[in-house]
Amino acid sequence: MDNEDLKELNAIFKDMGGVDKVEDYTSNFERLADGTYIGEIEKVSTKNSKKTGRPMIEIPMGIEQKIEFFDLLVKIGFKEIEVGFPSSSQTEFDFLRRLVEENHIPDDVTLQVLCQAREHLVLKTFEALKGVKKAIFHIYNSTSPAQRKYTFNKSKEEVKQLAVDGVKCIKKCLPKVSGTEVRLEYSPESFSNTEIDYAIEVCDAVMKEWGATKENKVILNLPTTIECSLPNQFADQIEYFCQNIPNRESCIISLHNHNDRGESVAQCELGLLAGAERVEGCLFGNGERTGNLDIINVALNMYTQGVNPELDFSELDFISKEYTRLTKMFVHPRTPYAGELVFTAFSGSHQDAIRKGMAARAKMPENAYWDVPYLPIDPHDIGRCYEGIIRFNSQSGKGGAAYIL
């Protein structure tokens, strides 16, 4: 490893280690006077943000495991899949090349790659992308006061210039992938801690440098790198951003929620109602610290409200087992929809209501409206079964006994 590699590695670790204060977030945005949210959830473009270039799991996956995981995401129906940081290591580079050379990428799937905007890293990333039909090139730099002060020791203007210079670097290197349709994604990392008007200023500069148009939209990805506010306050930030970013029709507003306060799903849902159009997340919320957004949870929440997420979770038990096998991470028994116990009742009154609801449903048409008490979704819709719904124990009382009899 030469001095340049050491400098690069140090820069990556330094970027990963920046921690923002959370007590000052209220000064970063203001609530709009009418308190309304814009937009409706109709169709949300979902993608799995599986950043394999970062230490997301305790035991990193090998190339074969990564390929299997990618195939699983394709089977579920994801159309934009972030495959990692190809310039960060030979393993990441070889993984992407295997996807291309072994024809794992369907024509309707776009690969997303993450990269720091340094020319030798950008060139290495483009080398990895050769033969890919459609790609999203994702660059980022942190913009929050704490990161400007501690990580970069730069002024607002200098940090904005970092973002603009990154776009210039990508544009300069674009001829290296002349056969690939490349879209730009930019993240003002630590958006949730950044002064909202400054975040808009930086993103506007990025769009102008790229030459964003209605036909060539830039993805502006707004991360809650540190989750530090109530969900409705985050939605105020997104609404304000959507209403004040210049050239709004030439960008796609994307959400990238972390789960430090355990509210990533709520923040995502309100952010969508506030005007965002795209979501980044991970299966079962895998990610740094307390994790990223659980994309399965969001998708199935939408499903329960009559919104088709266009993702196939009809074999959720199989997906859970594959996730555990490939990542060595386990799905908690209380995880919404997928956990072992989420369709299980121990309370006698719950058991009695479920028993009566299931008995009545047995006489209804198969497509009858689902309204069995205590079960928000038909377990069959996600490949679960009814057998374990009621478990007889000391709390069961007459309801459990009647079910057993």
Side-chain angles (χ1 to χ4, degrees):
M1 184 177 289
D2 59 24
N3 288 336
E4 190 64 30
D5 288 330
L6 284 172
K7 289 179 183 177
E8 200 61 53
L9 190 60
N10 182 60
I12 291 172
F13 284 148
K14 193 173 183 182
D15 170 64
M16 288 164 57
V19 178
D20 293 341
K21 294 181 180 179
V22 300
E23 62 265 31
D24 296 330
Y25 67 84
T26 51
S27 63
N28 294 341
F29 58 92
E30 58 182 283
R31 186 170 182 81
L32 300 185
D34 60 5
T36 58
Y37 298 121
I38 60 174
E40 297 178 355
I41 296 180
E42 292 180 354
K43 177 181 176 183
V44 181
S45 173
T46 51
K47 78 140 200 93
N48 182 277
S49 177
K50 189 68 188 76
K51 297 184 181 178
T52 51
R54 299 285 184 108
M56 307 291 282
I57 54 179
E58 187 174 359
I59 305 173
M61 291 188 288
I63 293 177
E64 299 300 331
Q65 294 165 306
K66 291 174 185 288
I67 291 173
E68 286 190 72
F69 202 96
F70 179 87
D71 290 341
L72 176 64
L73 299 178
V74 170
K75 180 180 178 182
I76 292 170
F78 289 99
K79 301 304 180 186
E80 295 177 0
I81 303 174
E82 186 163 285
V83 293
F85 209 141
S87 64
S88 68
S89 71
Q90 194 62 43
T91 299
E92 299 305 309
F93 183 91
D94 292 343
F95 164 54
L96 179 47
R97 293 312 306 158
R98 288 275 302 274
L99 292 180
V100 176
E101 293 164 7
E102 297 175 10
N103 299 314
H104 288 272
I105 310 165
D107 290 342
D108 62 347
V109 170
T110 300
L111 294 193
Q112 180 167 307
V113 290
L114 187 66
C115 186
Q116 291 179 320
R118 294 180 173 89
E119 186 168 345
H120 69 290
L121 297 179
V122 172
L123 288 172
K124 186 72 172 178
T125 302
F126 279 149
E127 182 183 346
L129 283 172
K130 286 181 179 178
V132 173
K133 293 182 180 179
K134 296 181 293 183
I136 297 171
F137 203 102
H138 184 185
I139 62 169
Y140 64 96
N141 63 279
S142 197
T143 55
S144 70
Q147 293 268 21
R148 296 197 305 264
K149 179 180 178 181
Y150 299 118
T151 306
F152 297 121
N153 191 26
K154 292 183 182 294
S155 67
K156 282 185 173 182
E157 194 61 34
E158 289 172 318
V159 168
K160 180 173 72 173
Q161 192 60 44
L162 281 177
V164 172
D165 289 345
V167 178
K168 288 180 179 178
C169 181
I170 295 169
K171 288 169 64 179
K172 176 183 175 182
C173 299
L174 268 178
K176 299 293 183 180
V177 283
S178 56
T180 303
E181 177 188 332
V182 177
R183 297 162 61 198
L184 177 70
E185 175 171 346
Y186 172 72
S187 292
E189 190 188 359
S190 302
F191 166 82
S192 52
N193 297 87
T194 299
E195 306 93 330
I196 188 68
D197 289 315
Y198 177 62
I200 291 171
E201 180 183 336
V202 174
C203 290
D204 181 40
V206 165
M207 290 175 64
K208 287 177 178 175
E209 180 60 40
W210 183 254
T213 65
K214 291 180 182 179
E215 294 73 31
N216 183 28
K217 297 184 179 183
V218 170
I219 299 170
L220 297 178
N221 189 50
L222 307 179
T224 56
T225 308
I226 300 293
E227 189 177 49
C228 59
S229 66
L230 296 173
N232 65 296
Q233 292 170 321
F234 173 70
D236 288 340
Q237 288 180 293
I238 298 302
E239 182 180 35
Y240 185 92
F241 189 98
C242 289
Q243 291 183 346
N244 289 276
I245 183 74
N247 202 12
R248 174 67 179 89
E249 68 278 4
S250 298
C251 63
I252 296 170
I253 305 302
S254 175
L255 303 179
H256 183 107
N257 298 90
H258 281 255
N259 200 41
D260 298 276
R261 290 164 52 97
E263 297 176 329
S264 59
V265 171
Q267 296 220 7
C268 170
E269 291 175 335
L270 287 185
L272 289 170
L273 290 172
E277 303 146 290
R278 182 179 182 270
V279 174
E280 294 189 353
C282 300
L283 297 188
F284 301 109
N286 197 12
E288 299 284 6
R289 303 183 309 279
T290 53
N292 286 60
L293 174 76
D294 182 350
I295 202 75
I296 297 175
N297 196 341
V298 172
L300 290 177
N301 280 3
M302 294 170 66
Y303 180 78
T304 65
Q305 302 302 306
V307 179
N308 182 4
E310 300 184 11
L311 296 172
D312 183 3
F313 293 115
S314 61
E315 298 180 73
L316 192 53
D317 278 348
F318 169 78
I319 293 170
S320 300
K321 290 174 183 176
E322 286 295 279
Y323 169 82
T324 296
R325 180 178 70 85
L326 294 170
T327 69
K328 305 299 186 289
M329 301 283 285
F330 295 94
V331 178
H332 192 279
R334 300 290 186 189
T335 298
Y337 303 106
E340 179 187 356
L341 298 177
V342 297
F343 294 113
T344 301
F346 294 100
S347 163
S349 61
H350 289 207
Q351 292 175 342
D352 181 61
I354 292 172
R355 177 182 65 82
K356 291 174 179 176
M358 296 295 291
R361 186 164 181 83
K363 303 173 185 178
M364 299 178 186
E366 186 175 338
N367 62 348
Y369 179 80
W370 179 263
D371 61 353
V372 175
Y374 299 110
L375 299 179
I377 188 175
D378 185 345
H380 278 169
D381 287 355
I382 52 176
R384 306 294 299 271
C385 61
Y386 301 136
E387 281 75 6
I389 288 178
I390 293 180
R391 297 192 188 183
F392 187 68
N393 67 5
S394 60
Q395 303 169 1
S396 297
K398 294 187 301 181
Y403 179 78
I404 296 297
L405 293 173

